[in-house]
Amino acid sequence: MLFADDIVLIEKTKEGAKAKLELWRNALESKGLHLSRSKTEYMECTFSQERNTYIGDVTIGDQIVKKSERFRYLGSIIQMMAK
């Protein structure tokens, strides 16, 4: 079994993130790989005064993706800034 860790997808909206995750899942599964729904998480960052008005969960298929405020990526800690 093959494993790929530390993949980052960046999107401006939750809708875009959901769509990109579905594309990623479909591409992996078409090659016989598996996207771990239990290990996948997302972090929401706001870089401007503009707020995303989309309300809802990020999902892969019918499973809700865990929202995280902090995670390790390539040996560094990435976290949300205090408001």
Side-chain angles (χ1 to χ4, degrees):
M1 184 178 253
L2 297 174
F3 295 94
D5 291 324
D6 295 336
I7 304 297
V8 172
L9 302 176
I10 299 173
E11 262 302 323
K12 290 184 178 184
T13 65
K14 286 185 182 178
E15 298 102 323
K18 288 167 70 169
K20 198 172 271 189
L21 279 169
E22 279 303 311
L23 283 171
W24 185 244
R25 182 184 66 80
N26 289 331
L28 289 172
E29 290 178 357
S30 73
K31 305 296 182 198
L33 299 173
H34 174 76
L35 177 63
S36 175
R37 289 163 171 83
S38 63
K39 292 181 180 179
T40 301
E41 36 184 72
Y42 80 96
M43 184 171 65
E44 184 176 352
C45 299
T46 304
F47 296 104
S48 69
Q49 298 298 329
E50 212 174 289
R51 297 290 293 167
N52 185 356
T53 58
Y54 176 77
I55 297 173
D57 296 312
V58 173
T59 58
I60 301 173
D62 60 354
Q63 185 169 347
I64 296 173
V65 176
K66 177 185 170 193
K67 184 174 181 179
S68 179
E69 294 184 5
R70 175 180 186 209
F71 64 95
R72 183 176 302 276
Y73 179 70
L74 298 177
S76 298
I77 299 292
I78 300 172
Q79 65 185 23
M80 294 176 58
M81 293 183 62
K83 294 179 182 181

